[in-house]
Amino acid sequence: MANPIKTAIHRLSGNGLPETEEIELFGADGEEAVYRILRQNFDCVLRNVVVPHKDLFLEKDFMVIYKGAPFVLEVKNWKGEIGMEGDTFYQNKPNGVKKNLKSPVGTTNQFIHCLKNVYSIERRVYGMVVFAEPDCSLSLPPESQGIALLSVHQMVSYIRACVKEEGGDRVSVNPEIFLRCTRFYSRDREFCKGVLVNCELECLGEKGETVYLDTTKLEFLSVEHQPLRLRDKLYVTYMGGGSGVFYNRDTVLTVKLLDGSFERFSLNRVDHIVF
C-alpha cells in the first residue's frame, strides 16, 4: 500500500503538462529531425530499438519497416566536414580542428547480426548511418562494409529505392516482435533508460473503469500530477497517431536497465515517458 503523504508530495512537486510540441522535442535534435521526416513518409517507424546481447542490450536509434523490409538507422549529428581514411571517420570542424571519430559502421553491423539471430530473421536487414546535421559536408563513399552512409536528404529515397529493387516477392517482418527502449523523464531530466518488463500499464478510464495500456503500442505518455486527488492524469499518444486520457493512482513499473539490472519505481515520479 502506497504512503498517501509521500504520494501527495511527489505529485505536488511535479511539473504540469507541457504543450504537445514541447513533448515531441524530447531527445537529441538530430534524432528528432530524422524522426519527423520518417514519420511523414513511412507508417511504421520504431524508435530506440534494442536487441539482447549477452547480459546487456545493443541499441539503435530507429527501425523503419517499409513494405515488410526492415531498415536499421543510426543517426549522427556531426558538424563540419565528415570523411573517412580507411575505416576511420574524421571530422574537420569549422574552427579548423580535425578530430577522429568512432566508426558507427561496425556497431551497426553488430546490431544487425544480433537482431537477425535473436529474432530468427532470414531476409536482408538494411543498415544505414544517417548524418542529420543539414550543414555538414560529407566526403564519404555511398557505403562501408554494406552499411549505407547518407545525408538526411537521401534517407527516404534510399529506403524506397531498396524496396523497389527487391521487387514483389519478399519476406515481411513483423514490427511487434522488437523490443524498444523507454526513456523516463522527471522535471525535464532523463533519469531512467531501459526496457519495460511488465508491458501493461494499469490505469482508469474517464468513467472509472479499469484499462490496461499496452506500452509497446505507445509513443509518449505525459503525466499531469493531481496531488489533492492522489492520482495522476495521463495523456497518451499511440504509435498510430491516436491519443487518450487516463488516470492512475499507485502503479509501480519494473524496468530492465541497459546494464542488465532492474529498477522498480512509481509512476508518480515521472513527468514524461518516451517509448
Side-chain angles (χ1 to χ4, degrees):
M1 182 69 180
N3 185 318
I5 297 177
K6 287 187 177 180
T7 298
I9 291 173
H10 274 302
R11 291 185 166 114
L12 188 62
S13 61
N15 289 345
L17 182 72
E19 297 294 328
T20 302
E21 291 78 8
E22 185 180 341
I23 297 172
E24 293 178 351
L25 289 176
F26 279 105
D29 291 341
E31 286 186 26
E32 198 61 40
V34 169
Y35 178 64
R36 288 171 183 269
I37 294 171
L38 292 174
R39 284 299 302 271
Q40 289 169 2
N41 289 275
F42 303 105
D43 292 332
C44 183
V45 181
L46 308 181
R47 196 167 190 174
N48 305 322
V49 179
V50 297
V51 61
H53 177 59
K54 299 180 180 179
D55 294 330
L56 305 176
F57 294 97
L58 302 176
E59 179 185 3
K60 285 297 167 189
D61 298 317
F62 299 104
M63 177 180 284
V64 174
I65 310 291
Y66 179 54
K67 295 186 177 181
F71 294 80
V72 170
L73 283 73
E74 170 73 6
V75 176
K76 293 300 181 185
N77 203 31
W78 295 340
K79 302 180 185 296
E81 179 194 6
I82 309 300
M84 292 182 69
E85 294 175 344
D87 293 331
T88 302
F89 282 73
Y90 66 83
Q91 174 189 35
N92 286 327
K93 296 184 177 182
N95 62 5
V97 175
K98 183 176 181 179
K99 180 180 180 181
N100 288 333
L101 303 168
K102 183 178 179 180
S103 171
V105 170
T107 57
T108 303
N109 268 325
Q110 182 189 33
F111 181 91
I112 291 174
H113 176 75
C114 291
L115 187 84
K116 294 184 71 171
N117 284 343
V118 169
Y119 296 110
S120 301
I121 300 173
E122 295 184 358
R123 61 150 298 137
R124 178 178 178 180
V125 177
Y126 294 88
M128 305 164 57
V129 176
V130 177
F131 298 89
E133 172 56 50
D135 295 329
C136 74
S137 172
L138 300 183
S139 301
L140 296 170
E143 67 173 47
S144 175
Q145 300 175 39
I147 303 299
L149 307 176
L150 305 166
S151 72
V152 69
H153 307 295
Q154 300 170 303
M155 174 178 64
V156 172
S157 60
Y158 174 81
I159 293 174
R160 295 188 187 279
C162 288
V163 172
K164 184 177 180 180
E165 187 177 326
E166 277 195 355
D169 296 328
R170 64 177 67 90
V171 178
S172 296
V173 173
N174 179 6
E176 295 186 4
I177 65 175
F178 298 112
L179 292 172
R180 292 185 285 283
C181 184
T182 306
R183 287 171 166 82
F184 302 80
Y185 296 86
S186 177
R187 300 182 187 178
D188 300 334
R189 179 180 65 85
E190 180 182 326
F191 70 95
C192 182
K193 177 181 176 183
V195 178
L196 279 176
V197 177
N198 51 328
C199 289
E200 287 189 329
L201 175 61
E202 182 178 350
C203 53
L204 301 175
E206 295 193 83
K207 296 181 181 180
E209 72 279 16
T210 301
V211 179
Y212 293 94
L213 300 182
D214 182 353
T215 59
T216 64
K217 301 294 194 300
L218 303 182
E219 285 282 3
F220 300 100
L221 189 156
S222 293
V223 183
E224 185 179 88
H225 299 286
Q226 300 187 115
L228 298 181
R229 299 185 182 184
L230 292 181
R231 71 178 189 182
D232 297 320
K233 193 172 185 179
L234 312 181
Y235 294 80
V236 173
T237 303
Y238 297 97
M239 286 186 64
S243 60
V245 178
F246 303 93
Y247 299 89
N248 181 270
R249 295 189 186 276
D250 298 311
T251 290
V252 175
L253 301 175
T254 301
V255 179
K256 185 174 184 181
L257 307 182
L258 298 189
D259 64 1
S261 63
F262 288 84
E263 181 176 344
R264 285 170 55 83
F265 58 88
S266 298
L267 189 64
N268 60 50
R269 287 175 54 193
V270 177
D271 286 329
H272 319 287
I273 303 178
V274 180
F275 294 89

